[in-house]
Amino acid sequence: MTKSWAIRNGLNPVMYASKESLFTGNFMSGVEDIFTLLTKANDTTGKFETAYNNTINTLRYIKNYQGDLIRPGKKTKPNYVFANEREWRYVPAITDDILSFIPIDKIRTAQQKSSFNKKVSHIRLHFQPDDIKYLVVEKETDINPLIAHLRQAKSRFSYETVDKLASRILTYEQIEKDV
């Protein structure tokens, strides 16, 4: 999958930010200030609201740099470094049924979260195995487990397709040595 394909199709690199950073503090303060001004403004053109929505849209690309990793049914991992995931995130266009931002107080329960997830369940990122150029794992010992996962989880693909994907596996160690 090329970077241009990914970005054209809504897949974007995540920007990691520390909760305590000056950037995060200034950004959130600015968003709150814009919202306050917007609620007091008599903007009949909609330009202020569009500017606010464009600014708040940035939050969809930001993830905490580090924090507690909390998952249902699993032990919490304190001080987990999310930036190590090197995540790309699918960020669909904002429409009437897709909000740019949902305040945390609106998704405090599993039922609330489920309700919002249902609203976007029809949105999917579609790509084929041929769109994948590289599969990068950390070290040599990670290759066989990935191949086993490809064979099991991607059983709808032919052996030839899975073998082609397996041939695209590189290790971080290989890349480091070559650079």
Side-chain angles (χ1 to χ4, degrees):
M1 170 174 46
T2 64
K3 194 173 194 176
S4 61
W5 179 91
I7 292 172
R8 273 196 318 272
N9 289 291
L11 193 60
N12 295 278
V14 171
M15 184 174 87
Y16 296 95
S18 172
K19 286 189 274 189
E20 294 81 25
S21 72
L22 183 60
F23 165 79
T24 303
N26 286 343
F27 183 79
M28 295 310 295
S29 178
V31 166
E32 290 168 7
D33 291 347
I34 292 171
F35 182 77
T36 301
L37 292 170
L38 178 64
T39 57
K40 293 178 182 178
N42 186 16
D43 177 30
T44 57
T45 66
K47 288 182 180 180
F48 291 171
E49 185 176 354
T50 298
Y52 174 77
N53 287 336
N54 287 340
T55 303
I56 201 84
N57 184 45
T58 305
L59 289 173
R60 300 187 322 147
Y61 301 89
I62 298 175
K63 188 172 183 177
N64 285 337
Y65 175 81
Q66 184 174 0
D68 293 344
L69 176 60
I70 303 167
R71 294 174 293 181
K74 295 190 177 185
K75 187 177 177 183
T76 296
K77 292 183 181 180
N79 297 316
Y80 181 82
V81 180
F82 296 102
N84 289 343
E85 297 174 356
R86 308 282 196 277
E87 177 182 338
W88 281 59
R89 181 176 287 177
Y90 178 50
V91 181
I94 296 171
T95 61
D96 290 338
D97 60 337
I98 299 175
L99 304 172
S100 60
F101 178 76
I102 301 167
I104 192 69
D105 63 332
K106 302 285 186 196
I107 51 173
R108 293 221 182 263
T109 68
Q111 184 178 0
Q112 289 171 319
K113 183 177 181 178
S114 176
S115 173
F116 282 111
N117 283 339
K118 283 179 186 172
K119 290 181 181 184
V120 294
S121 65
H122 63 285
I123 301 170
R124 296 278 188 257
L125 176 63
H126 298 282
F127 64 94
Q128 298 300 316
D130 284 340
D131 295 321
I132 299 170
K133 290 197 174 196
Y134 308 103
L135 292 167
V136 181
V137 295
E138 188 174 346
K139 54 193 176 297
E140 188 86 19
T141 57
D142 296 329
I143 292 175
N144 285 335
L146 177 56
I147 292 172
H149 173 77
L150 289 171
R151 288 192 174 127
Q152 177 190 7
K154 304 303 176 196
S155 59
R156 69 182 183 271
F157 298 128
S158 70
Y159 285 116
E160 292 81 16
T161 299
V162 172
D163 286 346
K164 188 189 284 187
L165 285 173
S167 74
R168 296 175 180 174
I169 298 174
L170 298 173
T171 68
Y172 178 75
E173 292 169 342
Q174 288 173 311
I175 295 168
E176 276 289 303
K177 286 178 184 174
D178 289 347
V179 176

